[in-house]
């Protein structure tokens, strides 16, 4: 499958990825090559990766998986390992894992000795279609997602669709939600195609999703304008995700599960404020509920989620700005939402 | 005194600094203005700063002073305070303190929500002439200095020489060592002038030191070549500083005190390897020993210091590269030093 040219690097898919990796290593005179894995990718992805990789790996660093470990303490572990294993400015870190791992590993590499090279190999559908593009790195601060980080580009991103076979259906669906978002904000035809597709055969659409996201990011790398459309479903989605993460009596949601709810609610806000038709709104709700079980939120939940909203890093000067849809495929940014509509959005999701 | 144009920002001195600060704040629509101080600068510098500053300060964050607090735990404190006081992407952080505080505050700002604006107001002579230029931010990892950080430029740097009156003589001398270094690596005339000056009247030379450092950094912002000359005295100096910091039976050295020792020893290596005359070497040793009391190192100390050398972040592929002098005012980079000379360098310092 064709490679995608991102800002300062390429995203290579499948057989081209393997060749690109080995060429890059041969061309660069790295002092050490380190691989960062988590308990899952060590078991399910590392053996296959080691077969593809021609050069010796100096050390493999292992971290615990999951959003609850995407924090500065885990960074400290990896910084210390890099230091203990004689990592220097000419070392390379290869991040083999999902979005949590590549976000964290990218941040660790970007800040170790003021920045070393890193390569991302996303192993989940979500990270292949989303975290692989855009250069965002970072970790959470308490329950607040991605509060600490930098924008920095990897040397390259490599996508091996075979890793999708190691995922459970819940994780596939989580990535599928982001792919549907790409259709909603930029490409109605893609939305229609994806909805009809068997979600376990979406590997062939990965490139299309990457291309949509990349096209947006290239036009606005620093998120001054257009890039904000990628946040559709994420303003409420992030708050819901944070809330469920910090409440032990709530089931922790995968990122795609949270933004699927966010997209239904922000679809409702779009219907109220920016002209999204009732028909399209219902199509969005039906599509997501077909794949994602409804989550119960009572009034206390809702109040706590709305409180978290104001901490979202995309808010500025205390205003809460949303990305809303004018129609399927057309997104508008910086829309202010009257507070009374939030409750209605929750009701619409529940009904 | 005239401002110095650095990479993407200006260094303003004295009366121009105050005007520049207030203009910048008036021009930029910051959502919040935070000031970071330590226990010392809160007491000795904040009151004077508040008189100069026309806009309201939203919150003042206080950290403990000293290299031993220049770590990720202190960063976490400040990140959490920024978050708790509703800091967002449009917030400004003003760092009021010495090099430890501006390095740490710069890193915190560069990584909070993937980067907010910051202004540095160095309050020690050392940070005025050194940390104010070059965009290096970061914190230590255990006893290893500046292992975690990024290169990122402040909006501006403001120098108020009146803050020098708040310093004890030890701190003035520490900055004076860096100023002497600027002469040694780039400007013999400046070296001669500085040596003759009363060290408590060096305020008038701050601009010259900043101009020398800035000239070097502008030619090589990413430290590929020329910028390395700024590390003269720092390869051994950093190791000595780290060693004294982590050993409770050693007196903790200020940065300038450690690199003064480093410059004597690396002066010796320069005499052995790169043609520095015996006369110049002795002049260097005498100049520093006139202001800095000799520190005792036994064989165990020396062995431990040499072990730390290999962790220095400027080492690559396990080689230890030094910046050495060809003559006073002319530095050479990437000089490999045979290991047996290290012991001789310690002996020369002791004798």
């Amino acid at each position: 499958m064709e490679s995608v040219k991102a800002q300062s690097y390429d995203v290579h898919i499948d057989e081209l990825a393997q060749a690109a990796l080995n060429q890059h290593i041969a061309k660069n005179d790295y002092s050490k090559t380190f691989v960062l894995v988590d308990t899952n990718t060590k078991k399910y992805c590392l053996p296959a990766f080691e077969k593809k990789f021609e050069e010796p790996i100096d050390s493999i660093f292992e971290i615990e998986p999951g959003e609850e470990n995407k924090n500065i303490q885990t960074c400290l572990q990896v910084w210390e390992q890099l230091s203990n294993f004689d990592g220097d400015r000419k070392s390379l870190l290869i991040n083999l894992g999902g979005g949590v791992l590549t976000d964290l590993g990218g941040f660790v590499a970007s800040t170790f000795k003021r920045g070393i090279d890193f390569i991302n190999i996303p192993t989940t559908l979500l990270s292949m279609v989303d975290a692989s593009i855009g250069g965002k790195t970072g970790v959470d601060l308490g329950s607040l997602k991605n509060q600490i980080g930098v924008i920095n580009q990897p040397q390259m991103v490599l996508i091996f669709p075979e890793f999708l076979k190691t995922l459970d259906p819940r994780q596939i669906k989580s990535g599928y939600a982001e792919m549907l978002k790409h259709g909603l904000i930029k490409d109605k035809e893609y939305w229609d195609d994806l909805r009809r597709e068997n979600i376990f055969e979406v590997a062939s659409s990965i490139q299309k999703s990457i291309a949509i996201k990349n096209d947006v990011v290239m036009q606005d790398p620093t998120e001054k304008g257009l890039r904000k459309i990628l946040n559709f479903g994420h303003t409420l989605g992030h708050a819901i995700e944070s809330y469920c993460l910090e409440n032990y009596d709530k089931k922790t949601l995968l990122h795609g599960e949270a933004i699927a709810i966010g997209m239904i609610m922000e679809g409702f806000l779009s219907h109220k404020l920016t002209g999204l038709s009732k028909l399209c709104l219902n199509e969005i709700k039906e599509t997501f509920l077909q794949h994602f079980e409804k989550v119960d939120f009572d009034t206390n939940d809702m109040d706590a989620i709305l409180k978290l909203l104001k901490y979202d890093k995309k808010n500025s000067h205390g205003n809460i700005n949303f990305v809303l849809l004018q129609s399927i495929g057309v997104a508008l940014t910086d829309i202010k939402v009257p507070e009374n509509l939030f409750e209605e959005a929750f009701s619409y999701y529940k009904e």
Side-chain angles (χ1 to χ4, degrees), chain A:
Chain A
M1 213 178 282
E2 224 179 302
S3 304
V4 177
K5 279 216 163 305
Q7 262 178 291
S8 57
Y9 64 96
D10 292 344
V11 182
H12 300 289
I13 304 173
D14 224 357
E15 65 279 11
L16 286 181
Q18 180 170 1
L21 173 64
N22 288 309
Q23 273 164 30
H24 180 82
I25 303 289
K27 203 178 65 187
N28 285 275
D29 182 27
Y30 289 115
S31 61
K32 302 256 177 187
T33 301
F34 301 111
V35 178
L36 182 67
V37 294
D38 64 29
T39 331
N40 295 326
T41 58
K42 184 181 182 185
K43 188 165 166 191
Y44 298 112
C45 305
L46 184 61
F49 170 71
E50 285 182 307
K51 273 184 206 143
K52 294 178 194 304
F53 190 56
E54 288 165 7
E55 301 291 320
I57 296 168
D58 290 284
S59 293
I60 291 160
F61 304 143
E62 187 180 342
I63 59 173
E64 289 298 311
E67 189 77 31
E68 63 275 27
N69 296 302
K70 188 180 174 184
N71 55 36
I72 284 288
Q73 297 312 323
T74 307
C75 293
L76 260 179
Q77 259 178 50
V78 186
W79 283 321
E80 277 164 6
Q81 283 183 299
L82 280 167
S83 192
N84 293 341
F85 285 87
D86 295 338
D88 61 29
R89 287 185 183 180
K90 295 276 165 105
S91 297
L92 171 71
L93 182 66
I94 298 175
N95 298 313
L96 183 69
V100 166
L101 188 138
T102 55
D103 279 9
L104 183 145
F107 179 64
V108 165
S110 302
T111 52
F112 183 68
K113 294 182 190 256
R114 302 204 181 91
I116 63 170
D117 281 1
F118 65 102
I119 288 175
N120 283 347
I121 307 183
T123 57
T124 62
L125 182 57
L126 180 66
S127 59
M128 289 177 189
V129 298
D130 190 33
S132 67
I133 292 287
K136 287 188 177 177
T137 75
V139 296
D140 304 340
L141 185 67
S143 64
L144 300 171
K145 282 179 63 89
N146 300 322
Q147 294 285 294
I148 313 301
V150 294
I151 301 265
N152 191 27
Q153 313 298 330
Q155 294 298 303
M156 53 175 57
V157 172
L158 308 175
I159 306 231
F160 298 108
E162 66 183 90
F163 290 146
L164 296 177
K165 293 182 204 132
T166 68
L167 301 175
D168 70 27
R170 223 185 130 190
Q171 282 179 300
I172 295 281
K173 285 181 188 173
S174 177
Y176 179 63
E178 281 284 359
M179 297 172 82
L180 286 169
K181 184 198 76 180
H182 293 137
L184 286 177
I185 59 172
K186 247 328 201 167
D187 192 330
K188 184 175 182 334
E189 200 181 316
Y190 184 50
W191 162 261
D192 288 332
D193 289 348
L194 267 181
R195 291 198 318 133
R196 284 190 217 101
E197 213 168 349
N198 177 332
I199 77 153
F200 299 105
E201 279 158 21
V202 290
S204 56
S205 300
I206 290 174
Q207 196 197 24
K208 177 73 185 170
S209 262
I210 291 176
I212 290 176
K213 177 160 183 188
N214 189 48
D215 184 49
V216 170
V217 169
M218 295 279 267
Q219 287 181 58
D220 175 26
T222 55
E223 200 165 324
K224 299 274 182 257
L226 179 68
R227 184 166 175 172
K228 293 179 188 171
I229 68 171
L230 296 167
N231 294 321
F232 178 65
H234 282 60
T235 309
L236 277 157
H238 264 168
I240 290 168
E241 191 178 1
S242 292
Y243 177 71
C244 293
L245 183 65
E246 70 178 355
N247 276 272
Y248 292 107
D249 53 338
K250 288 279 158 197
K251 182 177 164 191
T252 296
L253 297 179
L254 296 180
H255 178 69
E257 293 169 340
I259 63 148
I261 303 170
M263 285 190 276
I264 294 172
M265 292 186 185
E266 294 180 17
F268 174 83
L269 299 175
S270 305
H271 172 60
K272 286 287 176 186
L273 297 172
T274 53
L276 184 73
S277 73
K278 185 76 185 169
L279 203 71
C280 289
L281 170 60
N282 289 338
E283 183 177 301
I284 291 171
K285 186 175 175 183
E286 273 163 34
T287 302
F288 286 113
L289 288 185
Q290 196 186 327
H291 298 289
F292 297 93
E293 209 179 301
K294 222 184 254 187
V295 178
D296 276 333
F297 296 112
D298 62 23
T299 314
N300 289 338
D301 296 332
M302 188 184 73
D303 291 346
I305 288 165
L306 296 180
K307 209 171 157 192
L308 278 173
L309 255 193
K310 72 172 179 136
Y311 283 107
D312 190 278
K313 66 187 173 306
K314 280 163 288 293
N315 304 333
S316 169
H317 290 221
N319 288 321
I320 304 178
N321 288 317
F322 280 81
V323 177
L324 297 181
L325 302 179
Q326 191 171 51
S327 60
I328 289 179
V330 180
L332 304 171
T333 60
D334 296 316
I335 309 291
K336 300 214 188 326
V337 173
E339 290 208 17
N340 63 311
L341 282 183
F342 293 136
E343 205 164 323
E344 287 186 47
F346 272 86
S347 300
Y348 172 75
Y349 171 69
K350 285 194 221 175
E351 78 196 13

